[in-house]
Amino acid sequence: MIDIIIGFLATIGVMFIFLAAVGFIRMPDTYLRMCVTTKASTLGSGLILLSAAVFFGENGVISRVIAIILFLFLTVPVGAHLIARVSYFIGVQLWKGTIMDELKGKYDKQSHELHSERELKK
Amino acid sequence: MKSSIFLNNVLLMLMWVILTGDSTFANFTFGFLLSFVILRIITVNREDTKYFRLVPRVIAFILFFIYELVLANLQAAYFVIVSHKNLKPGIVGVPLDAKSDIEITFLTNLVSLTPGTLSIDVSNDRKVLYVYSMHIKDRDQFVKNIKNGFEKRILNITR
Amino acid sequence: MTLNFYLTYILLPILIISVILIFIRFLKGPSIADRVIAIDLMVTCSIGIIAFVSIISHQPTFLDITMIIALIGFLSIVAFSYYLEKRNKND
């Protein structure tokens, strides 16, 4: 019974990671790739770690796994935000099917400050 | 005042675990819930009851977040497997109601963690959050979804 | 079919195939941001692989390595983005 639970969790986790890899190959521009991959892979590795916790079933392992999952969920969005910001700075082109870009012209090229709309109107 | 009740709760939970002598994860959870119910019964002061509304809200928020995460992952899976030709990506500025550091951090992290949306930056005066989205059907609807879904629930917890 | 067999011969190869797919994008990637994301994804994949190895070999100690690798991955992302932004500023 417990083997079935472990196999189920691990299979779903591996599917998410595989999906992230395929999306990483197929998507047309950097931002779309970032959108698809970062979170799917986080969820996938979280599920795999959870299956390891179910397999061992000791207190030490479970608390360690919960710590790792919390750490992943805290740091991965921060990393994605940093990379997205930097790739906007260094001029990575948006895909040609993009329908709106409200960030255009809001960055100050010299001081790297970001203005909101209210400040622009003044 | 909130934090002192939380400390009492944790202390009672530790008491329960030590007295029963069974340090498994299930026993910790059971001790927490038991001491939560006991504290709820014995607290009569009006101001202190805020904590007891907070814990169910946090649990409901976690469940809502897991639901949203799975739903959005399935949507992303559909776009990856079938086709990306009819995607409509774009960057949208969402006006922020959240003011303090911790509210903005939570909001941006949660927006980033649901696939399909990615928070790029917060403006320097903390009024607008720029979100990249994979598929925008209607701009106003999208902004309303973020404001009513995540931001309202986070503000419910922190305020 | 035992659990060990299933993990070793079905799930682990899928993970390794996905690492290879990510590496193709790492070689092709048009911009430098793509390569940085590829490193981040490879770190996440390696976390999954190490967790599988620790299940197969009954060694819970391997999970500590997972934590350290996640830390190093996050630090490398922060350092890369910091220096990319600096380089852009000086031009």
Side-chain angles (χ1 to χ4, degrees):
Chain A
M1 184 59 211
I2 206 162
D3 280 4
I4 294 172
I5 296 175
I6 295 166
F8 184 69
L9 283 175
T11 312
I12 294 180
V14 168
M15 277 301 128
F16 274 124
I17 288 185
F18 187 67
L19 210 75
V22 173
F24 197 52
I25 284 285
R26 288 192 58 176
M27 283 295 171
D29 85 336
T30 309
Y31 302 96
L32 275 175
R33 269 172 228 147
M34 229 179 290
C35 265
V36 177
T37 58
T38 325
K39 303 86 184 181
S41 66
T42 312
L43 189 63
S45 56
L47 284 174
I48 292 174
L49 283 171
L50 215 62
S51 75
V54 173
F55 179 78
F56 290 112
E58 303 161 16
N59 265 350
V61 177
I62 291 175
S63 61
R64 220 178 293 161
V65 163
I66 289 175
I68 298 169
I69 290 176
L70 270 184
F71 184 75
L72 273 181
F73 272 57
L74 274 180
T75 55
V76 166
V78 177
H81 150 72
L82 282 172
I83 292 297
R85 194 179 122 90
V86 160
S87 58
Y88 203 89
F89 271 132
I90 61 179
V92 175
Q93 289 298 316
L94 289 164
W95 184 43
K96 61 180 191 305
T98 309
I99 54 171
M100 60 177 79
D101 182 10
E102 296 186 358
L103 196 55
K104 199 174 185 180
K106 301 265 167 58
Y107 269 118
D108 191 339
K109 284 289 175 196
Q110 292 300 315
S111 58
H112 283 210
E113 275 182 358
L114 177 60
H115 303 298
S116 65
E117 297 175 61
R118 208 170 293 178
E119 234 172 86
L120 273 184
K121 277 174 192 165
K122 273 178 189 174
Chain B
M1 211 54 218
K2 254 190 290 179
S3 56
S4 83
I5 298 181
F6 177 68
L7 272 184
N8 277 339
N9 204 341
V10 172
L11 267 179
L12 277 177
M13 177 190 80
L14 284 180
M15 233 26 165
W16 169 263
V17 170
I18 290 169
L19 287 179
T20 49
D22 176 19
S23 66
T24 55
F25 186 72
N27 205 28
F28 270 100
T29 318
F30 181 68
F32 188 84
L33 289 179
L34 194 67
S35 49
F36 180 79
V37 171
I38 290 173
L39 278 175
R40 178 73 188 92
I41 290 170
I42 65 170
T43 305
V44 284
N45 194 352
R46 206 62 204 250
E47 296 165 2
D48 296 345
T49 52
K50 198 175 172 221
Y51 173 70
F52 301 109
R53 289 201 303 270
L54 198 68
V55 172
R57 265 184 202 162
V58 170
I59 294 171
F61 181 76
I62 291 172
L63 289 181
F64 168 75
F65 173 65
I66 291 173
Y67 168 74
E68 197 86 344
L69 190 67
V70 172
L71 199 74
N73 260 314
L74 290 180
Q75 191 203 3
Y78 171 78
F79 281 126
V80 167
I81 292 171
V82 179
S83 163
H84 60 259
K85 287 287 186 295
N86 46 8
L87 277 176
K88 291 186 193 122
I91 298 177
V92 177
V94 180
L96 278 177
D97 282 335
K99 285 284 175 284
S100 66
D101 276 344
I102 189 142
E103 288 164 4
I104 292 178
T105 313
F106 259 105
L107 181 65
T108 49
N109 268 13
L110 293 180
V111 165
S112 279
L113 268 180
T114 50
T117 54
L118 176 74
S119 58
I120 292 187
D121 212 344
V122 181
S123 67
N124 278 29
D125 53 357
R126 296 185 178 184
K127 289 202 177 99
V128 183
L129 164 71
Y130 290 96
V131 179
Y132 182 88
S133 175
M134 249 171 71
H135 193 62
I136 305 173
K137 277 178 193 146
D138 180 21
R139 185 188 178 276
D140 296 333
Q141 186 67 36
F142 176 75
V143 171
K144 220 160 107 190
N145 268 347
I146 286 184
K147 287 199 85 70
N148 286 341
F150 280 128
E151 192 172 25
K152 206 171 132 201
R153 281 163 200 260
I154 288 172
L155 292 186
N156 261 341
I157 289 174
T158 52
R159 282 184 189 161
Chain C
M1 194 164 74
T2 59
L3 183 68
N4 255 358
F5 180 82
Y6 182 60
L7 290 185
T8 320
Y9 292 106
I10 296 176
L11 291 187
L12 212 51
I14 297 178
L15 268 184
I16 289 166
I17 288 171
S18 54
V19 170
I20 293 171
L21 287 181
I22 295 164
F23 197 75
I24 292 172
R25 177 53 81 184
F26 178 80
L27 293 178
K28 258 169 67 177
S31 70
I32 196 162
D34 285 311
R35 300 196 165 120
V36 179
I37 305 165
I39 290 176
D40 193 25
L41 258 180
M42 272 197 247
V43 164
T44 320
C45 282
S46 72
I47 288 174
I49 292 175
I50 292 172
F52 274 161
V53 171
S54 91
I55 289 179
I56 290 166
S57 63
H58 290 260
Q59 291 277 343
T61 329
F62 287 164
L63 290 175
D64 290 344
I65 305 169
T66 313
M67 202 188 294
I68 292 167
I69 284 188
L71 255 170
I72 292 175
F74 176 61
L75 275 185
S76 68
I77 293 294
V78 172
F80 266 123
S81 53
Y82 179 77
Y83 283 111
L84 280 178
E85 198 178 335
K86 281 276 164 181
R87 187 182 76 171
N88 191 40
K89 224 174 188 173
N90 287 340
D91 281 348

